[in-house]
Amino acid sequence: MKKNDTANMVELSYRGMEPVTSLSGVGPHLAAQLEKLNIKTLLDLSLHVPSRREAIELWPGRIPLPEKTVAMQLFILQHRPGKRGYPYKIQARIGTQNIDLIFYHAYPQTLARQFPLDQCVMAWGKPDLKRGQLQVVHPEPIPADQHSLVRLIYPTTEGLRVPRLQRLIKSALAQLPDIEEWLPPQMLINEGWQDVRTSLNHLHATDEVSEN
């Protein structure tokens, strides 16, 4: 093994084995949730791969209601913070219909950022009809830089939602050092294999749907 290969392994071990608490916003409570998934280090996060990918249909807001999760283009009309014991409600429009976005145990500042007033927002969710009013509970905003309607399904645990897990994985990947490929370059070409860094990025990418 070359000297620079050994140095790279040491650097990967040091950076990759840093605890998840080295990421911004990860405190003891979130670290405990991640540990339930056997995630303790940045490398663990990077290797926590989705169990499947789903191509999601765009729902225009018409009846009949879809029976599965769909993508929705929402125009945000009003934020209505819930009084004690009541959910936070966001009034929005989809197509020609009004729809309520319902959030329990909400963080108003986060919702104000994710669903800004008088703006169109793309989100995942499963719409329902309650007392004649369209609603969706805990819709998940689709990142603005996501250019396809593909949803990654990750193994997760109670209290840890997939969007937050994805943000943590993205941060962990950004902090990992460049990984020098140990396989001969010609072997990668002959076999059509990707290098380690590209493979990790593709595992967590949403721009393509794998064939099942």
Side-chain angles (χ1 to χ4, degrees), residues 20 31 44 96 149 180:
V20 291
D44 291 338
T96 60
L149 296 181
E180 185 172 342

Side-chain angles (χ1 to χ4, degrees), residues 79-82 86-90 101-104 106-108 111-112:
H79 281 244
R80 296 178 59 187
Y86 289 85
Y88 192 107
K89 183 182 295 185
I90 298 175
L101 316 182
I102 308 296
F103 298 88
Y104 296 92
Y107 294 92
L111 292 178

Side-chain angles (χ1 to χ4, degrees), residues 92-103:
R93 183 180 298 119
I94 178 170
T96 60
Q97 304 285 333
N98 288 336
I99 187 169
D100 290 337
L101 316 182
I102 308 296
F103 298 88

